[in-house]
Amino acid sequence: MNFDYNETQSMIAQSIKDFAEKNIRPYIMEWDEAQIFPIPLFKKLGEMGFMGVLVPEEYGGSGLGYHEYITVVEEISKVDPSIGLSVAAHNSLCTNHILTFGNEAQKKKWLPKLATAEHIGAWGLTEHNTGSDAGGMNTTAVKDGDFWVVNGAKNFITHAISGDVAVVIVRTGEKGDSKGMTAFVFEKGMPGFTSGKKENKLGMRASETAELVFDNCRVSDANRLGEVGQGFVQAMKILDGGRISIGALSLGIAKGAYEAALKYSKERHQFGQPISSFQGISFKLADMATEIEASELLLHKAAFFKQRHKPVTTMGAMAKMYASEACVKIANEAIQIHGGYGYTKDFPVEKFYRDAKLCTIGEGTTEIQKLVISRNLLKD
């Protein structure tokens, strides 16, 4: 394998760095403390092609691959993980679901506006009582002529309030039946389709999270993605790619926290020398750097599989599990290296620490990743 950035990745990385320094870094704490979801920022990212990374050019996207996509999410997340999370959710969940399972008319209708961020995308699977147990969902759709009547609610949905388009998986058959769920596209303004309360979160506070509520919402059968009963199967395939997204988010957090800790350790002096010269600190940095390298290798191997249409479920779960747990440990050690200053909001590691934890929960907990990996190992 070639471990060097290709020309496109190098250009993307530099472009994101320049953009983030000007448009993200000055507002990080303002957005975080007030839980502001900065829609104008995402419009700018859309103009640069970063909201339709995987979408072919014929639908208005950038037409890039998963290695480039990892670069986009990682570089943004090194500055503000909450912005990286929203970019990832928009690209890999909502937009990618329509790209992967939509028919030609559906792709032409929704992808161009999503790829440019004229429309913000949301994706709904989780419910209040069905987190990892997605098959037990209570949101239902009942056929009524050329429409479906939908009732229920989804929670912990990224962009539930501000999203213009949402791909939502609902139950069209028996509860617990993996072939009893179907995916539909909902658009803001549909009667009976609203959003609920915004969650007040520990971290990722500039990435909007709220409920999607359906009260006798009538959605046209033309908005159905794929066949009736295929929604759960589709969702699992989308989450395979989504785990690469969370891995990239985790990698960005890990690198951001590590780089901040490395810089601080060289600048902070105790007993007449920089604290980086003490073994207790230098060994921490060695462990952090090694875990970052391991995360990156796993992640790009998963991207390699995905790019070549090879089975990616196991490798994606491994990459997501390892990278997410590593970023939590690295953010924790970054605070330790900063000492008391790391516990204040004057240094970036405090926010990396809060943001990191979501990575071990979102798009399948660490425990679910272990379940996925072990089942596939035993099956093979």
Side-chain angles (χ1 to χ4, degrees):
M1 289 180 67
N2 182 359
F3 295 105
D4 293 328
Y5 264 10
N6 60 39
E7 186 177 351
T8 303
Q9 285 175 281
S10 297
M11 289 175 59
I12 288 171
Q14 190 58 54
S15 177
I16 284 289
K17 285 176 184 175
D18 294 342
F19 178 87
E21 288 301 320
K22 179 181 178 182
N23 298 283
I24 299 177
R25 192 176 297 281
Y27 310 103
I28 290 174
M29 294 314 296
E30 176 188 341
W31 294 339
D32 180 76
E33 293 185 352
Q35 289 208 119
I36 295 169
F37 178 59
I39 294 176
L41 176 77
F42 294 98
K43 303 294 185 183
K44 291 180 182 177
L45 285 166
E47 291 171 5
M48 297 175 70
F50 297 138
M51 297 295 275
V53 181
L54 303 169
V55 177
E57 292 180 19
E58 64 186 289
Y59 302 118
S62 299
L64 299 173
Y66 270 84
H67 295 290
E68 290 79 15
Y69 175 57
I70 288 170
T71 302
V72 170
V73 176
E74 173 197 330
E75 290 294 338
I76 293 173
S77 303
K78 282 164 67 175
V79 178
D80 190 340
S82 59
I83 303 302
L85 173 62
S86 277
V87 169
H90 174 94
N91 273 281
S92 72
L93 298 179
C94 176
T95 305
N96 196 41
H97 198 135
I98 295 172
L99 173 64
T100 305
F101 297 106
N103 58 38
E104 193 61 24
Q106 291 168 334
K107 291 177 185 179
K108 287 179 177 177
K109 180 177 181 180
W110 288 304
L111 288 180
K113 290 184 178 180
L114 286 166
T116 58
E118 181 179 342
H119 284 172
I120 301 293
W123 191 81
L125 178 65
T126 300
E127 297 184 4
H128 293 273
N129 296 313
T130 60
S132 299
D133 180 20
M137 68 175 58
N138 294 310
T139 301
T140 58
V142 178
K143 191 84 181 324
D144 181 19
D146 293 332
F147 288 82
W148 295 77
V149 180
V150 183
N151 284 284
K154 299 287 179 178
N155 77 327
F156 297 141
I157 307 303
T158 306
H159 311 151
I161 297 169
S162 300
D164 303 282
V165 175
V167 174
V168 183
I169 294 85
V170 299
R171 184 159 59 83
T172 52
E174 295 300 315
K175 185 180 288 192
D177 181 2
S178 63
K179 293 185 178 179
M181 289 161 274
T182 305
F184 293 90
V185 179
F186 295 83
E187 296 175 289
K188 181 178 281 188
M190 282 182 171
F193 176 49
T194 57
S195 53
K197 75 178 184 74
K198 188 174 185 176
E199 301 294 344
N200 189 11
K201 300 178 297 183
L202 169 72
M204 300 292 190
R205 290 170 60 82
S207 179
E208 178 185 275
T209 306
E211 289 181 307
L212 288 176
V213 181
F214 304 89
D215 183 8
N216 289 320
C217 176
R218 293 174 64 82
V219 60
S220 172
D221 191 58
N223 286 32
R224 172 171 47 83
L225 294 172
E227 299 300 319
V228 174
Q230 289 299 304
F232 184 76
V233 175
Q234 292 176 9
M236 294 304 102
K237 290 180 179 178
I238 292 301
L239 286 173
D240 281 344
R243 286 166 185 155
I244 294 175
S245 294
I246 299 299
L249 175 63
S250 302
L251 181 62
I253 292 171
K255 285 187 176 182
Y258 165 75
E259 289 170 7
L262 180 65
K263 179 175 181 289
Y264 182 83
S265 73
K266 292 177 179 179
E267 295 172 349
R268 172 72 166 170
H269 283 66
Q270 294 285 272
F271 306 103
Q273 54 190 313
I275 62 172
S276 59
S277 65
F278 297 113
Q279 190 179 85
I281 301 299
S282 64
F283 277 18
K284 287 183 187 297
L285 293 168
D287 287 339
M288 292 158 79
T290 302
E291 293 208 318
I292 286 171
E293 288 294 325
S295 298
E296 194 158 26
L297 287 169
L298 274 170
L299 195 55
H300 280 283
K301 186 173 181 179
F304 179 84
F305 278 30
K306 183 72 175 173
Q307 201 67 34
R308 283 155 182 76
H309 306 289
K310 297 173 70 174
V312 74
T313 301
T314 302
M315 187 53 60
M318 287 178 172
K320 192 269 187 189
M321 178 183 75
Y322 188 88
S324 64
E325 291 291 341
C327 86
V328 171
K329 288 190 285 185
I330 289 166
N332 180 57
E333 290 289 45
I335 286 188
Q336 198 70 16
I337 289 170
H338 279 71
Y341 290 109
Y343 204 66
T344 72
K345 293 183 183 290
D346 295 327
F347 288 80
V349 291
E350 174 270 344
K351 185 174 181 298
F352 284 126
Y353 182 73
R354 288 187 289 109
D355 289 346
K357 188 56 195 170
L358 183 277
C359 296
T360 68
I361 299 169
E363 297 194 34
T365 63
T366 294
E367 292 72 24
I368 287 295
Q369 306 314 314
K370 290 181 179 180
L371 186 65
V372 169
I373 295 164
S374 60
R375 280 181 176 175
N376 283 341
L377 293 177
L378 294 170
K379 182 174 66 177
D380 293 342

